[in-house]
């Protein structure tokens, strides 16, 4: 279920509150004097190669960064393997793209070992895939993060897709954010707010199609593209057009277009996509600064999947 639309939803919220850049010990070009080679260029090359093999990795990586940063900050804790790590929490079971980060880390370690953090590689990779699906438009990524030492499934507390726009804004504001990402397909199809009927705001054709794909008593393992414009699943603007047509999959999707707190933002994105790209970059810079570890905090992992043992 990870798609451009889920990512657009996530950043749609962020754009309402992010207005500037991050501060502190993060900086653009942090590794320029620490490595003899351009490690950011190496990450870009690896990401581009993976993208050419599978373009759907773009929204997947953007989603990964959001899921990492929202839980205890941007410390690459989502990458750690283990029986009870963040990876094992239900909202993260569909997060993917770990092999891209692994490949980028291996390439960087080969030329500048034990210097570049996995947390920074996530941020670089996110910037790179956004550029790949937006005709080369790049935003500057601030680096200097260090990797976390703790990753627990019980720490994963992402807002439910059933949350109202107002409550979602409040929840994310507590972290300096205003965002959510897709989690699960809601019960809008069969029992909207315990009425026994589909959500009345959902496009009737879409409700019929989704009920066919997701029978009421099914195991819940079927997947649905959150962007119902199948020819444009890599175009962020398409997602906003779809929810304006009452074709949002998640309940929070549709409320973005209907709620007075967010409807004007949605309409503005549809009207001016070039402005959205710039604000997206600003949003990602701010998101990437949430509760980061810097200086001597945390560590620089040798492998993104495990805490250092020496």
């Amino acid at each position: 279920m990870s798609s451009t639309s889920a990512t657009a939803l996530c950043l749609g919220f962020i754009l309402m509150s992010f207005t500037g850049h991050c501060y502190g010990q993060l900086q653009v070009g942090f590794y320029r004097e620490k490595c003899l080679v351009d490690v950011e260029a190496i990450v870009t090359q690896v990401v581009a190669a993976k993208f050419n093999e599978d373009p759907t990795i773009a929204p997947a990586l953007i989603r990964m960064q959001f899921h990492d940063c929202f839980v205890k900050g941007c410390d690459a804790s989502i990458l750690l393997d283990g029986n009870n790590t963040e990876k094992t929490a239900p909202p993260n079971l569909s997060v993917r793209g770990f092999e891209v980060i692994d490949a980028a880390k291996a390439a960087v370690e080969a030329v500048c070992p034990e210097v570049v953090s996995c947390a920074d590689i996530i941020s670089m990779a996110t910037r790179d895939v956004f550029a790949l699906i937006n005709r080369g438009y790049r935003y500057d990524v601030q680096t200097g993060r260090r990797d976390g030492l703790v990753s627990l499934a019980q720490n994963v507390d992402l807002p439910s897709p059933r949350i109202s726009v107002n409550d979602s804004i409040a929840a994310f504001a507590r972290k300096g954010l205003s965002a959510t990402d897709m989690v699960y397909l809601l019960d809008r199809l069969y029992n909207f707010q315990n009425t026994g009927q589909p959500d009345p705001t959902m496009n009737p054709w879409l409700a019929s199609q989704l009920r066919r794909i997701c029978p009421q008593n099914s195991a819940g393992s079927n997947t649905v593209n959150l962007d119902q414009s199948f020819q444009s699943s890599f175009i962020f603007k398409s997602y906003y057009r779809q929810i304006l047509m009452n074709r949002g999959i998640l309940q929070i999707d549709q409320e973005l277009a209907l709620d007075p707190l967010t409807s004007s933002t949605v309409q503005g994105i549809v009207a001016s996509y070039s402005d959205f790209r710039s604000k997206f970059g600003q949003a990602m810079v701010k998101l990437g600064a949430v509760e980061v570890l810097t200086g001597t905090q945390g560590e620089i992992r040798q492998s993104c999947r495990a805490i250092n043992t020496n």
Side-chain angles (χ1 to χ4, degrees):
M1 288 177 60
S2 59
S3 71
T4 301
S5 55
T7 307
L9 166 61
C10 168
L11 272 300
F13 271 131
I14 296 174
L15 292 177
M16 295 188 299
S17 63
F18 286 2
T19 56
H21 297 277
C22 61
Y23 303 95
Q25 298 184 53
L26 300 183
Q27 63 184 70
V28 175
F30 179 83
Y31 296 109
R32 285 175 187 161
E33 297 181 0
K34 300 180 183 300
C35 296
L36 296 178
V37 295
D38 186 347
V39 292
E40 293 199 31
I42 292 173
V43 172
T44 297
Q45 292 170 4
V46 171
V47 170
K50 295 292 184 180
F51 176 84
N52 288 336
E53 295 173 3
D54 176 17
T56 68
I57 205 65
L61 287 175
I62 295 172
R63 181 177 178 230
M64 177 194 291
Q65 182 176 6
F66 177 78
H67 278 228
D68 180 51
C69 292
F70 190 82
V71 179
K72 302 298 182 182
C74 307
D75 63 352
S77 53
I78 196 171
L79 302 180
L80 290 173
D81 289 337
N83 293 330
N84 191 40
T85 61
E86 292 175 24
K87 275 184 181 178
T88 68
N92 289 336
L93 294 178
S94 57
V95 173
R96 63 188 184 90
F98 300 111
E99 74 285 355
V100 180
I101 305 302
D102 290 339
K105 175 65 170 175
V108 168
E109 285 291 299
V111 296
C112 191
E114 301 181 36
V115 174
V116 182
S117 70
C118 300
D120 277 343
I121 290 175
I122 291 176
S123 291
M124 296 176 200
T126 299
R127 171 208 51 203
D128 293 337
V129 291
F130 186 75
L132 287 166
I133 59 178
N134 281 278
R135 300 179 181 178
Y137 181 90
R138 292 169 65 88
Y139 55 88
D140 289 330
V141 165
Q142 296 182 324
T143 47
R145 300 167 189 80
R146 288 172 66 86
D147 299 321
L149 302 174
V150 177
S151 181
L152 297 172
Q154 56 263 39
N155 288 339
V156 177
D157 184 23
L158 297 171
S160 165
R162 297 174 183 163
I163 197 170
S164 69
V165 170
N166 197 47
D167 288 344
S168 183
I169 291 173
F172 281 86
R174 289 193 288 270
K175 284 189 171 286
L177 304 174
S178 180
T180 192
D181 204 353
M182 56 80 65
V183 183
Y184 300 109
L185 184 65
L186 300 182
D187 65 354
R188 299 174 70 215
L189 299 179
Y190 295 100
N191 191 24
F192 178 72
Q193 296 181 354
N194 296 317
T195 63
Q197 300 296 325
D199 183 348
T201 67
M202 182 180 283
N203 179 285
W205 173 86
L206 177 60
S208 174
Q209 291 294 104
L210 294 179
R211 292 175 82 166
R212 178 181 60 80
I213 297 170
C214 306
Q216 187 165 9
N217 297 317
S218 66
S221 58
N222 294 345
T223 59
V224 177
N225 191 337
L226 296 187
D227 187 343
Q228 292 301 299
S229 177
F230 298 106
Q231 289 76 27
S232 57
S233 59
F234 302 110
I235 303 174
F236 280 74
K237 188 173 180 179
S238 171
Y239 162 75
Y240 296 99
R241 284 175 173 164
Q242 294 299 311
I243 62 175
L244 287 175
M245 297 168 63
N246 292 337
R247 289 185 177 180
I249 300 296
L250 305 181
Q251 182 174 332
I252 189 64
D253 285 355
Q254 204 51 63
E255 289 188 5
L256 278 177
L258 298 175
D259 195 292
L261 292 172
T262 53
S263 59
S264 60
T265 301
V266 172
Q267 294 168 5
I269 290 171
V270 171
S272 178
Y273 186 65
S274 60
D275 185 53
F276 169 76
R277 293 189 305 180
S278 174
K279 290 182 178 178
F280 179 96
Q282 295 173 17
M284 292 305 295
V285 169
K286 187 72 177 291
L287 173 65
V290 172
E291 301 175 41
V292 296
L293 303 176
T294 58
T296 60
Q297 298 172 314
E299 65 179 11
I300 303 298
R301 288 185 211 142
Q302 296 169 1
S303 165
C304 291
R305 292 178 179 263
I307 294 172
N308 297 340
T309 57
N310 53 5

